[in-house]
Amino acid sequence: DTGVSQDPRHKITKRGQNVTFRCDPISEHNRLYWYRQTLGQGPEFLTYFQNEAQLEKSRLLSDRFSAERPKGSFSTLEIQRTEQGDSAMYLCASSLGRLGKNTGELFFGEGSRLTVL
Amino acid sequence: DQQVKQNSPSLSVQEGRISILNCDYTNSMFDYFLWYKKYPAEGPTFLISISSIKDKNEDGRFTVFLNKSAKHLSLHIVPSQPGDSAVYFCAALSNTGNQFYFGTGTSLTVIP
């Protein structure tokens, strides 16, 4: 399978604990995105990388959140001191180059569901 | 600040009939629009797109219409099939070209 893969698929944690999610994009895709989806909402942009450079971050990405893509391949999203409001589906996506007509679409992984008790 | 809106959370349609899903946006700088389809426990998958230089794009049973003056787009599925039952998200590309803004989704149920 050469699609976007995410791990773990489900994570249940207690408030205050740290969690880390991993995303492996489609191998030739140089752009990687993190989105968050809560119940009844569409995906909300968190951040994106072009190769190893993190080029844009949303205001939703508080200082408890950190994302890395150290070698321009896989990425990790860490949430420190989790809060119940962090409970959501965290979606990773990748694209081959810039988004838009004649260029790249977003290819999503299956998501990592976080439940904070 | 919801820049892309889908005002119908759910829609039920009889198999074989037309499904029409609607989407409105507020940012006049958006120039590329897409529909994504999502099954439970899966990530969204790309369905169809349209550039702002067009007012219609068709792909098999799926057609997307864009009305720029009304800042409105719609997805038509005809004929609807039970396998089309899913959540459909409308998305618009930001003017920086670096992120999609998604609507809240419409859950379509096609009744056999």
Side-chain angles (χ1 to χ4, degrees), chain A residues 9 31 33 35 37 40-45 48 56 59 89 91 98-102 104-111, chain B residues 2 31-32 34 36 38 41-46 49 51 53 89 93-105:
Chain A
R9 294 289 309 279
R31 289 197 175 196
Y33 307 77
Y35 279 78
Q37 186 178 12
Q41 299 295 317
E44 298 171 292
F45 171 80
Y48 96 96
E56 190 168 334
R59 288 173 298 172
M89 174 75 81
L91 292 163
R98 187 181 173 88
L99 300 175
K101 60 182 184 292
N102 304 323
E105 307 294 349
L106 269 182
F107 295 83
F108 282 93
E110 294 179 324
Chain B
Q2 192 74 30
D31 62 359
Y32 186 61
L34 308 90
Y36 276 81
K38 185 181 184 303
E42 295 184 10
T45 56
F46 169 74
S49 64
S51 165
I53 62 173
F89 291 101
L93 185 63
S94 70
N95 52 359
T96 64
N98 294 328
Q99 59 164 296
F100 287 125
Y101 288 90
F102 285 84
T104 52

Side-chain angles (χ1 to χ4, degrees), chain A residues 4-8 20-24 31-37 43-49 54 56-58 60-61 65-69 74-78 89-94 106 108 111-112, chain B residues 99:
Chain A
V4 178
S5 62
Q6 294 187 243
D7 182 71
T20 300
F21 301 113
R22 175 182 170 124
C23 172
D24 288 88
R31 289 197 175 196
L32 185 148
Y33 307 77
W34 285 99
Y35 279 78
R36 180 182 75 179
Q37 186 178 12
E44 298 171 292
F45 171 80
L46 293 178
T47 189
Y48 96 96
F49 293 83
Q54 188 173 16
E56 190 168 334
K57 293 194 286 188
S58 161
L60 294 175
L61 210 67
F65 288 69
S66 63
E68 294 182 345
R69 195 183 182 199
F74 73 91
S75 175
T76 57
L77 176 68
E78 181 183 17
M89 174 75 81
Y90 290 86
L91 292 163
C92 178
S94 68
L106 269 182
F108 282 93
S112 293
Chain B
Q99 59 164 296

Side-chain angles (χ1 to χ4, degrees), chain B residues 6-11 21-22 35 86-89 104-108:
Chain B
Q6 294 176 256
N7 292 319
S8 298
S10 62
L11 175 69
L21 295 88
N22 294 303
W35 286 91
V87 177
Y88 290 79
F89 291 101
T104 52
T106 297
S107 178
L108 172 67

